[in-house]
């Protein structure tokens, strides 16, 4: 790996973390509580797991130069991994699969603006 490639990887990692921080703050400001950040199961990782009352919200954060490019980064294979990871997470909840839940996708642009698509994976 070249030094330049390593630097780009570090920048992308930190940009992603900053985007997650921004989205987490938004959810907290709107009354949600953080359950877990970068929760990892055997099937994959979920960026943010939030809770509002009894509902669990799985949030996938995608950052790119603009909203369209951010949305394009969520591919069908990743959607499957997210859904399987969510099933693993729900297995540890008191109500299991009867837990109220949804998948949100947070799109973050290069200027720090964001759009939350609630229940986004219901249509995937």
């Amino acid at each position: 790996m070249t030094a330049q490639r390593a630097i780009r990887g570090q920048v992308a990692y930190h940009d992603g973390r900053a985007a997650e921080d921004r989205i987490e703050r938004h959810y907290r400001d709107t009354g949600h509580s953080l359950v877990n950040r970068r929760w990892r199961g055997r099937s994959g990782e979920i960026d943010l797991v939030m809770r509002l009352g009894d509902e669990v919200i799985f949030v996938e954060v995608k950052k790119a130069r603009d909203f369209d490019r951010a949305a394009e980064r969520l591919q069908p294979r990743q959607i499957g991994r997210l859904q399987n990871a969510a099933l693993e997470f729900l297995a540890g909840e008191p109500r299991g699969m009867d837990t109220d839940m949804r998948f949100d996708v947070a799109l973050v642009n290069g200027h720090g603006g964001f759009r939350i698509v609630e229940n986004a994976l219901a249509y995937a």
Side-chain angles (χ1 to χ4, degrees):
M1 180 187 301
T2 67
Q4 188 177 30
R5 191 173 186 188
I7 291 170
R8 278 197 311 263
Q10 292 252 334
V11 169
Y13 171 81
H14 290 292
D15 280 352
R17 291 294 296 219
E20 288 172 8
D21 289 344
R22 174 95 165 97
I23 298 305
E24 179 186 338
R25 274 192 310 276
H26 166 75
Y27 276 92
R28 285 179 181 260
D29 289 348
T30 57
H32 298 72
S33 59
L34 178 68
V35 175
N36 209 306
R37 186 174 182 145
R38 293 198 173 192
W39 184 87
R40 180 170 288 285
R42 288 189 338 247
S43 301
E45 181 179 277
I46 300 171
D47 292 334
L48 299 171
V49 181
M50 307 300 294
R51 189 179 305 275
L52 183 62
D54 292 334
E55 184 177 36
V56 174
I57 300 104
F58 300 104
V59 184
E60 179 64 16
V61 179
K62 291 294 181 189
K63 183 180 184 304
R65 190 174 352 160
D66 57 58
F67 295 125
D68 290 338
R69 289 178 201 257
E72 290 169 358
R73 292 192 172 171
L74 186 60
Q75 298 295 312
R77 188 169 172 206
Q78 184 182 20
I79 291 169
R81 286 194 306 266
L82 288 168
Q83 291 170 329
N84 289 334
L87 293 175
E88 289 179 57
F89 181 89
L90 291 176
E93 288 289 294
R95 293 184 56 218
M97 294 302 297
D98 289 332
T99 303
D100 291 332
M101 54 80 66
R102 72 174 196 249
F103 288 93
D104 290 358
V105 175
L107 306 173
V108 181
N109 70 17
H111 301 289
F114 66 91
R115 293 181 184 164
I116 305 288
V117 182
E118 291 186 1
N119 213 25
L121 300 190
Y123 309 105

